[in-house]
Amino acid sequence: MEVMNKYWTIKTHIEDSPKEDDFYLKTSTLALSLGPGSKEMIVKNLYVSIDPYQLNRMKGSSSSQKTGGFAVGIAPGQGIEAFGVARVVASENPEYEKGDLVVGVVTWAEYSKIGSNGMIRKLDPMGFPLSYHVGILAFSGLTAYAGFFEICKPKRGEKVFVSAALGSVGNLVGQYAKLHGCYVVGCAGSKQKVELLKEKLGFDEAFNYREENDMNSTLKRYFPDGIDIYFDNVGAEMQEAAVANMNAFGRVAVCGVISEYTDSGKKAAPDMLDVIYKRIKIQGFLAGDHTGLFQDFISTTSDHLRSGKLCALEDISDGLDSIPFAFAGLFRGDNIGKKIVKIAEE
């Protein structure tokens, strides 16, 4: 038996802000019969994660591609990997049976073929929507949890600034920080987002960065006593201003630099004298470095979700066809919370 499998690829390498017509929907025949003992399986994709970092894989070259693994470059015509939830439709892997729910690395496609060494595992939904296992209970959540608690090591009462605060990671960092007893300010790109940060997610303050002309002065206004922790999702001048306003022994967790992904001319250049004399720690990190925290993260986050202390903010588009628009929208600031595409019914 075989199926016609639709999947997205890039037409050419993408060096600037992505557009919908940078992508091409291909169709190929996929056999549902697998070689005996191959340990392969075919899964039907249900939900896939849409993430800004994927743009760096679509470029002709990027320093991130040199790290290998989940950051290697994608060639035109090649399937595009993504984290997702799927259901097994055929399996020669003794650990999986037809009908099993799985979570892990799939593709922007209707079906994905998972090799014997595929980064995938069985999924116990734990009573939560399947979409949660693509975002808040997956890498977006782990990134926020590990970045805030492991890299920033917060103390109750400290002052926290989060950029791109209504994104998939930023909104969770702010919520974790409030639950930890911190004072939290976030920035976002619209009045609506600012209101959501304060009214729905409980941030102490928030501002629209598009309405501010001098970020250094803006941060002085919101943090008259200085910043202890900056969770950076943006890079460039936002990072510079945050460092300029940090207290001694401040911590900067560099999670992403989305403003630099589409503009190679933008580079963060914080005042290194501030870094030295204030003894500021600036550290980049990847969620994959902190898989040892996964069980603690899942337990804590699940408890907060069940008690209503944590809000899962999701922005879900329907259908495989919506993926290019959803991806390009990340760089326009369209998304509110975690961007996910629902490919098929559960």
Side-chain angles (χ1 to χ4, degrees), residues 104-170:
V105 179
V106 292
T107 50
W108 284 359
E110 292 177 309
Y111 296 88
S112 298
K113 188 173 185 177
I114 310 297
S116 58
N117 296 319
M119 182 180 164
I120 206 152
R121 61 179 173 83
K122 284 186 180 179
L123 173 63
D124 173 8
M126 302 185 296
F128 293 112
L130 293 185
S131 59
Y132 282 25
H133 299 278
V134 176
I136 194 168
L137 294 175
F139 275 105
S140 294
L142 179 60
T143 299
Y145 189 88
F148 185 63
F149 290 109
E150 191 72 8
I151 305 299
C152 297
K153 299 192 180 301
K155 302 179 186 68
R156 184 176 179 83
E158 286 194 309
K159 295 170 284 295
V160 178
F161 175 46
V162 184
S163 57
L166 212 63
S168 62
V169 174

Side-chain angles (χ1 to χ4, degrees), residues 14 17 27 38 40 43 58 63 65-66 85 88 101 103 122 139 148-149 164 174 184 202 245 254 273 313 332 345:
I14 305 171
S17 296
T27 302
S38 66
E40 295 177 328
V43 300
M58 298 173 187
S63 59
Q65 296 175 6
K66 299 173 185 176
V85 169
V88 177
L101 279 172
V103 60
K122 284 186 180 179
F139 275 105
F148 185 63
F149 290 109
V184 184
N245 282 276
V254 185
L273 287 178
L313 202 59
R332 296 189 296 262
E345 292 296 329

Side-chain angles (χ1 to χ4, degrees), residues 190-209:
S190 72
K191 181 180 178 180
Q192 177 200 15
K193 290 184 176 183
V194 167
E195 290 174 352
L196 282 170
L197 287 172
K198 294 192 291 185
E199 296 172 10
K200 188 176 181 69
L201 302 186
F203 281 54
D204 294 286
E205 289 290 349
F207 63 89
N208 181 355
Y209 70 88

Side-chain angles (χ1 to χ4, degrees), residues 51-345:
D51 299 290
Y53 83 88
Q54 291 170 297
L55 180 61
N56 295 318
R57 299 190 65 188
M58 298 173 187
K59 295 181 178 182
S61 65
S62 169
S63 59
S64 62
Q65 296 175 6
K66 299 173 185 176
T67 62
F70 206 39
V72 296
I74 296 170
Q78 181 182 347
I80 298 169
E81 291 179 327
F83 198 80
V85 169
R87 191 175 294 280
V88 177
V89 295
S91 176
E92 279 294 328
N93 188 322
E95 296 181 16
Y96 300 90
E97 296 179 357
K98 182 178 179 180
D100 284 347
L101 279 172
V102 293
V103 60
V105 179
V106 292
T107 50
W108 284 359
E110 292 177 309
Y111 296 88
S112 298
K113 188 173 185 177
I114 310 297
S116 58
N117 296 319
M119 182 180 164
I120 206 152
R121 61 179 173 83
K122 284 186 180 179
L123 173 63
D124 173 8
M126 302 185 296
F128 293 112
L130 293 185
S131 59
Y132 282 25
H133 299 278
V134 176
I136 194 168
L137 294 175
F139 275 105
S140 294
L142 179 60
T143 299
Y145 189 88
F148 185 63
F149 290 109
E150 191 72 8
I151 305 299
C152 297
K153 299 192 180 301
K155 302 179 186 68
R156 184 176 179 83
E158 286 194 309
K159 295 170 284 295
V160 178
F161 175 46
V162 184
S163 57
L166 212 63
S168 62
V169 174
N171 88 86
L172 295 174
V173 172
Q175 292 186 77
Y176 285 135
K178 285 303 300 175
L179 288 169
H180 197 68
C182 297
Y183 173 80
V184 184
V185 177
C187 71
S190 72
K191 181 180 178 180
Q192 177 200 15
K193 290 184 176 183
V194 167
E195 290 174 352
L196 282 170
L197 287 172
K198 294 192 291 185
E199 296 172 10
K200 188 176 181 69
L201 302 186
F203 281 54
D204 294 286
E205 289 290 349
F207 63 89
N208 181 355
Y209 70 88
R210 299 181 195 274
E211 296 178 347
E212 303 295 335
N213 297 318
D214 184 343
M215 195 55 60
N216 198 347
S217 297
T218 299
L219 293 182
K220 285 186 190 301
R221 187 167 75 248
Y222 284 98
F223 294 96
D225 298 318
I227 300 169
D228 297 305
I229 291 171
Y230 172 44
F231 199 96
D232 188 10
N233 295 300
V234 172
E237 61 269 17
M238 190 81 75
Q239 186 190 106
E240 295 171 12
V243 168
N245 282 276
M246 295 202 81
N247 292 325
F249 301 103
R251 287 86 76 202
V252 179
V254 185
C255 172
V257 288
I258 192 169
S259 70
E260 300 180 23
Y261 294 168
T262 57
D263 185 346
S264 59
K266 281 191 173 184
K267 299 291 181 185
D271 187 327
M272 295 310 294
L273 287 178
D274 276 340
V275 175
I276 294 167
Y277 284 92
K278 292 182 182 179
R279 286 85 90 203
I280 296 169
K281 180 179 84 168
I282 302 176
Q283 183 173 342
F285 72 100
L286 298 173
D289 298 333
H290 301 281
T291 53
L293 292 174
F294 190 74
Q295 290 306 317
D296 182 55
F297 150 68
I298 287 291
S299 176
T300 301
T301 304
S302 297
D303 287 347
H304 287 328
L305 285 168
R306 290 191 177 100
S307 67
K309 293 179 181 178
L310 199 62
C311 173
L313 202 59
E314 297 180 312
D315 188 337
I316 303 178
S317 299
D318 283 321
L320 183 70
D321 291 350
S322 70
I323 285 181
F325 184 81
F327 183 66
L330 292 177
F331 300 89
R332 296 189 296 262
D334 292 351
N335 63 299
I336 293 178
K338 174 63 185 177
K339 189 63 196 176
I340 298 168
V341 169
K342 179 180 180 180
I343 294 180
E345 292 296 329

